[in-house]
Amino acid sequence: MKKYLIAASVALAFGAVHAADVAPRAENAYLSQTDAAARSARVSNVDYTLAFALTGKESFSGTTTLSFDLNDASQPLTIDLDKATIASLTVNGKAVTPQYNQWFITLAAADLVAGRNTVTIAYSRLHSTNGEGLHRMVDPVDGRVYTYSHFEPAAAHQMFPVFDQPDLKGTYQVTVSTPADWVVSSTMRETSVKDADGGKLWTFPRSKKLSPYNFSMHAGPYKVWEDNSGKYPMRLFARQSVASQVSPQDWFKYTKAGLGFFDQYFGVPYQFEKYDQLLVPDFLYGAMENAAAITFGEGSFLHKEEMTTAQKESLAGVIMHEMAHQWFGDLVTMKWWNGLWLNESFASFMGTLATAESTEFGNSWQAFYSGGKQAAYVQDQRVTTHAIETPVPSTANAFDNIDAITYSKGASTLKQLRHLLGEEVFRKGVHNYLVKYQYQNATLDNFIGSLAEAANRDLSGWTKEWLYEPGVNTIAADFSCAGGKVSAFTLRQSAPSKELPTLREQRVQVGLFNLTAHGLSLSKNVAITYKGAATEVPELKGAACPDLVYPNYQDWGFAQVQLDKKSFATAQSSLSKVDDPLLRSMLWQSLWDGVRSAQLPLNDFLKTALANAPAEKDYTLLGSIVDKVRASKGYLEAQGPSAYQTKVGVQLEQMAFAATKSATDSNFQRRWFSTYVGLASSPAALRQLADILNGKLVVKGLNVSQDVRWEIIRRLSRMAYPGSEALVVAEQARDKSDSGQQAAIAATVVRPEGKVKTEWATTIADLQTKLPFSKVRTAMGSMYPPEQGALNELTAQQRLDTLGAVDKAAGPVYMRAYAASMIPATCTPASVQRLDAAIAKLPELSNGTRRALLVTRQEDARCVAIKQAMTAH
C-alpha cells in the first residue's frame, strides 16, 4: 500500500533523514513533521524524571531530567518547552546557559555525546486557563483550586520540557508536592504519600512507554470514589462542589463492563494496571484518553437531576470510546498526526460496538446512524471535504481535520470493512496488530497489512478508494416489474462530482418492502458486494414488486441513499407503518436529506413531522426527529419573519407541549419538554414557560431542575421576554456554581440587544482577557442565534474585515471556536455574496479558519436554497 503514500511522507514515516541534511528548526510555536522526523531519527530510549511543585497559585515550578540515547551528536538538538522561566540547565553534568526562544531549548552539539545523554532543567511557568497544558481553575462556589493536564495534540511542553511528538515514546517517573488536602492522579498509582513542608509529597513509580500526549498528571482537592470489584481497580474523581451531581455507580458499571469486553475482544489484557476517570472543568473537548487517567469535560457529564436514558447512553459510549484508545492509541500509537484519524475512527467504531454488546444500550448502532454518521455525510458533502488519510505538515495543522470524517466516516469505513472481511477475520487482524506493535508507533500500512494478512487478500485497492479519496457516493435502486414481480434489478452507484470521481467497493444489504394490512413488511433481503457504476442483483428477480426499496438496509455501508420516486412517496406517506426503528430512522433521514438538498420543501417535511412525531415510541429515533424539527425552525428563523413561520411555529409549540403533558415516561417527557423550550417563540408559549419557571403552572411529572430553569431562562432572554433580564440576575445569585456562571453568560449574551452584543464582542476580541476561555467560548456560541439576523448584520462586514488579523493573532484553540460562531451568515443572497468576497480577499487564512469560512458560505447558500424551494412550492 506504500505506493499510495506521498514519497516524502514515506521517507519521514520511516525516519529516512540524515543529521547532515537537517536545516535549523523554524523559530515558531509549532513542530513540523520534517523536524519531528529528523529528531526521532536521532533520539531513542527516552526516560523522564519529573518533579512538580504545585501550590494552587497561578504558577507552578518543576524540574525535569531527560535521559535519552543520541545516535548522532554532530548537530544541535531541541527540547520543547513553552513560555517558561528557566532557572537552570545542566547537560551531561555541565551547567549551560539556556538558548531558549520561549518555544524550545536548543542544546549545542558541543554539549551532547553520541550515546546516553542526561539533561536536567529547572523552570517555572504560569498555569494555563485555556484547557491545554497544566490547566488551573478556581471553583467559584468554595474557592478551591483544581488542576489537570491536557496535552493532545502537542501541549505537553506547556507543562514540562519534552520531545513533544508521538513517535518519541518515553517512560515517566513522577513526584509532586501539593497542598495537604489535594490528591494526585497520574498514569501509575502512587507508591507513597508523605507529609512535607506543610503539604504532601506524592511519589509515582516509572511508567511504561507512552507518547507524551498520552501521559498526564492531575491534582487538586478532588472527591474520589473507588470500586475494586473488577479485575482492575477503578477510581472516579470530581470537584467537591459538584460531587452530588455524579452517579458513580453508573460510571463504574459501564467501566467494568467495557474493560471485560475489550480484554476479551482484543485478546490483549489492559496494560495500565488501574483505571482512573476524572470529571474536570473548562475542558476543551468531550474527553481525553490519557493512559489510565482519562479526563471528561464536566459540561456533558454533570446533571442536576437523575440522568435520562440518552444521557446514560452518551456516558457509556464516551467511556467505551476512551477505553478503546487505551489499546488503540495508547498501547499502539500513530507515528505522526496524519494517523490521528485511525485512532479516533477505531475508538468510535469500537466504542459503539462495546456499548451495543456490553451494556443495556443494544441499539447503539441506531444512535450512531442518527448522530455521528449523519454528521459524516454532511461533512463529506462540503466543499472542504478531505480524504480520511491526509497530510499534516506541522502541529499547527494537527486538528485541522478533527471532524466527522476523522471520527464517524472513518468508523463507518471500518464497520463496513468488518462486513467485507468477516467479523472474526477483522478481529484477528486487530489482535495481531496490537500484539506486533505494542508500546511502539505504527502507520496505516501496518494496520491495513495486519488486516490483509488475516484476510489473505490484497487491500491496496480498497485502501486507495476509501482512505485516500474524499467524497461520499450515492447508491440507488434501478428496477422494473412485470406481472407483479421484479423483472430486473440493478444497484447503481454515482460519484458526487467530476472533481471527486471515485466509485468504491463495499458490501450492503438490499431490502424490499411491501405495504400490507399490518404495515410495511420486509419481503426480500439480500447481501451483495457492489463496485463500479452498476451491479446487477439477479437474486431479486422474481421477488414481489416492492412498494419501497432501501439499498443500505440495516446500515452496513457508507453511502447516501437516493430513494426511487415510488419508495420516496411510500416513505413520506407510511412512516407510521414501519415497525423497524432503524429503517424508520433511515426513512426520516431520506426526507431530511431531501430538505437539505432543496428537493423536498421544508413545509412538506414539517407537515410530515406534525403528523408523525407525536406518535413516535422509539426514544432514540424521537431524539433524531425533534433535532430535525428544531433545525427546521432554525432555517425558518434565519429566513426572517413570515406568516407561515408564525403559524407553523405555534403548531410545533402545541405539538411539543401536548406531548410533554401526555408522556407517561420521564425520558420522553424530558425530551419533549426540552424540544418545547427550544421552539417556544409565541407570546403564549413564552408566558407558559415563565409560569412553569415561577411555579404558577405545574406539569405533572416534570421536574424543573436547576438545569431546566437555566434552559427556560435562556430561552426567555433570547426572545426578550419582559422581565427576563432580571430573571438572569436572580438565578445567577441563586446558582453560584461554575455551570451557573456559564449559563448566566449564555442567557445574557443571547439577549437581542445591540448594547449587549457590543460589550461581549469587545470581551471576545480581547485575547488577554482574564475571563477563562471556556466562558469566552460560551459567549461566542450565544452571540447570534438565527432569528437575530439584523443584529448579526450590524457588525458582519467588520468581523469579516478583521478575520485575517484575528486569525493571525490568536491560536488554533481560540480560532476553532471563533470561526465556528462569529463568521456572519444571515441566509440572504447578499450574505452569500459577502462571504464569497471574503473568501477571495483572505487567501492567507490558516487552514482551519479558511475551512470554516468556506463551510459557512456553503451552509448560508443552502439556507437560501431551502427558502427558495419553499417559495417555489
Side-chain angles (χ1 to χ4, degrees), residues 283-334:
F283 205 58
L284 285 169
Y285 310 105
M288 176 61 202
E289 66 269 19
N290 315 302
I294 299 91
T295 42
F296 293 77
E298 287 179 347
S300 299
F301 302 104
L302 289 179
H303 308 287
K304 294 176 180 175
E305 61 180 313
E306 185 180 347
M307 282 191 286
T308 63
T309 297
Q311 288 165 344
K312 286 186 178 182
E313 183 172 4
S314 175
L315 172 62
V318 178
I319 286 174
M320 299 302 178
H321 177 107
E322 304 308 328
M323 192 179 290
H325 274 309
Q326 304 299 303
W327 284 263
F328 214 98
D330 295 6
L331 180 61
V332 181
T333 313
M334 78 259 152

Side-chain angles (χ1 to χ4, degrees), residues 463-513:
T463 302
K464 184 178 188 300
E465 288 176 2
W466 281 101
L467 305 182
Y468 289 96
E469 301 291 346
V472 56
N473 297 111
T474 297
I475 55 174
D478 181 4
F479 64 96
S480 55
C481 295
K485 303 288 185 182
V486 174
S487 56
F489 196 105
T490 300
L491 192 61
R492 299 202 181 275
Q493 178 182 196
S494 57
S497 66
K498 290 180 180 178
E499 293 74 30
L500 301 172
T502 302
L503 299 178
R504 297 172 172 86
E505 174 191 6
Q506 67 177 327
R507 190 163 178 79
V508 298
Q509 295 181 104
V510 179
L512 274 56
F513 300 83

Side-chain angles (χ1 to χ4, degrees), residues 717-798:
S717 181
R718 175 172 164 176
M719 295 293 113
Y721 183 76
S724 57
E725 199 168 6
L727 287 175
V728 175
V729 174
E731 202 68 21
Q732 189 170 11
R734 166 184 169 141
D735 179 10
K736 298 183 182 300
S737 67
D738 183 57
S739 61
Q741 289 187 355
Q742 297 272 17
I745 289 172
T748 300
V749 176
V750 80
R751 190 168 182 80
E753 289 183 3
K755 181 183 176 185
V756 170
K757 304 300 182 188
T758 301
E759 289 173 356
W760 278 95
T762 301
T763 300
I764 290 168
D766 180 8
L767 300 181
Q768 306 304 317
T769 179
K770 293 293 185 182
L771 196 66
F773 181 66
S774 61
K775 293 179 171 58
V776 174
R777 189 171 54 170
T778 294
M780 290 179 187
S782 304
M783 281 287 279
Y784 298 111
E787 76 280 1
Q788 293 180 15
L791 283 170
N792 199 343
E793 282 289 343
L794 291 177
T795 58
Q797 190 60 57
Q798 177 189 346

Side-chain angles (χ1 to χ4, degrees), residues 38 202 328 463 522 598 610 641 665 720 803 848:
W202 295 69
F328 214 98
T463 302
L522 179 68
L610 286 162
D665 178 286
L803 182 61

